[in-house]
Amino acid sequence: MERRGIMQVKFCGLRTMADVEAANRVHPDMAGFVFAHGSSRRIDARTAALLRSRLDPSIRAVGVFCDQDPAAIEELVKNGIIDMIQLHGSEPEEQVRRLKRKAPVIRAFRIRSPKDLQMARNTCASLVLLDAGAGEGVTFDWSLIRDFGRPYLLAGGLCPDNVQEAAGLQPWGLDVSSGIETRGTKDPAKMEAFLNAVRQAETARPAKLIRQGSRSGWLQFLVRAAAQSQEDPDAGRSRQGSGSIVEESRQTGKGGKRQ
């Protein structure tokens, strides 16, 4: 079932048809397919294509990579297996700009100090993800990001119990993986509990969240991301102002679909 929300929600690490069917029932805004080598949640392109064929088309598929061949990433976009690209490695900014010409790019940063935040502010990626690590299920010091200055996905240690606190940071969205698993397997009950917690957080803090511009229309976001990449591949080198495509979409959009 679709719902219309303020914060975007991404379920990451879907690996099986059962995972996809469970996601379709509760309807997050995004579903992550992990292609990064070494991850316990890694799947191959053929499996991802099968999962995508069963994923509700209104749920955006995000491919998660770490220092991988850009041509292979672009092929996944070209074949319609993923809508967005998420990078967790040490990819150079030029590669980020190249990939942005194909699809919106989320760049992940492990946050341990203010220096990490400055790197996240300056990337040319369409959106940033602020994380504690690589799917380790722990949080970082959230006090570091209270005045971050650009839209971001919050990740690391999220679960239904801390969604309310996370919402108070006014993130653009929440990215959860281990928090919706039981013994390393996606748990439909935890998926539902997480989205229920998001609904409660949105109900408790709607005026504050809307005032800070947390609404985002997916169509506007994707269109603006594509336009920016084609017209000015170097745009967004510094995203602290109001010119970022995510910020523009938040100001003009109608919200992600979740009911």
Side-chain angles (χ1 to χ4, degrees), residues 41-149:
R41 302 179 180 93
R42 182 176 181 268
I43 59 175
D44 59 24
R46 181 177 180 181
T47 300
L50 290 172
L51 296 180
R52 178 58 191 265
S53 72
R54 295 291 296 274
L55 185 69
D56 187 307
S58 65
I59 300 175
R60 303 293 172 178
V62 183
V64 180
F65 308 91
C66 183
D67 295 319
Q68 287 165 263
D69 180 11
I73 298 174
E74 293 174 9
E75 190 70 13
L76 290 166
V77 175
K78 178 181 177 181
N79 291 335
I81 297 173
I82 59 173
D83 301 302
M84 302 179 69
I85 300 162
Q86 184 170 313
L87 303 176
H88 281 257
S90 56
E91 297 88 356
E93 286 289 284
E94 179 53 41
Q95 181 174 323
V96 176
R97 285 190 286 272
R98 169 182 166 181
L99 290 171
K100 276 177 59 183
R101 299 184 185 109
K102 305 298 180 181
V105 174
I106 302 168
R107 183 150 202 180
F109 292 87
R110 185 176 183 180
I111 304 303
R112 291 160 292 186
S113 71
K115 181 179 179 181
D116 299 318
L117 290 173
Q118 191 57 45
M119 293 176 62
R121 289 187 184 101
N122 291 338
T123 180
C124 68
S126 311
L127 183 67
V128 296
L129 180 146
L130 307 182
D131 200 354
E136 298 166 354
V138 297
T139 61
F140 61 92
D141 182 0
W142 288 352
S143 68
L144 291 170
I145 61 173
R146 292 193 180 278
D147 299 309
F148 177 53

Side-chain angles (χ1 to χ4, degrees), residues 169-243:
L169 298 169
Q170 302 156 32
W172 184 82
L174 304 178
D175 188 320
V176 61
S177 186
S178 59
I180 51 172
E181 293 178 346
T182 297
R183 293 185 293 276
T185 300
K186 289 292 182 284
D187 185 326
K190 289 184 177 180
M191 289 182 173
E192 183 174 9
F194 191 88
L195 278 175
N196 283 340
V198 171
R199 292 186 184 98
Q200 292 171 9
E202 291 170 345
T203 300
R205 299 173 180 261
K208 185 176 182 181
L209 288 170
I210 295 170
R211 184 171 61 252
Q212 294 297 328
S214 294
R215 289 188 180 275
S216 175
W218 267 113
L219 179 59
Q220 290 91 338
F221 171 71
L222 294 172
V223 168
R224 290 176 186 275
Q228 184 188 68
S229 298
Q230 292 170 6
E231 295 173 5
D232 185 3
D234 290 325
R237 193 178 298 273
S238 176
R239 299 299 189 96
Q240 297 183 53
S242 61

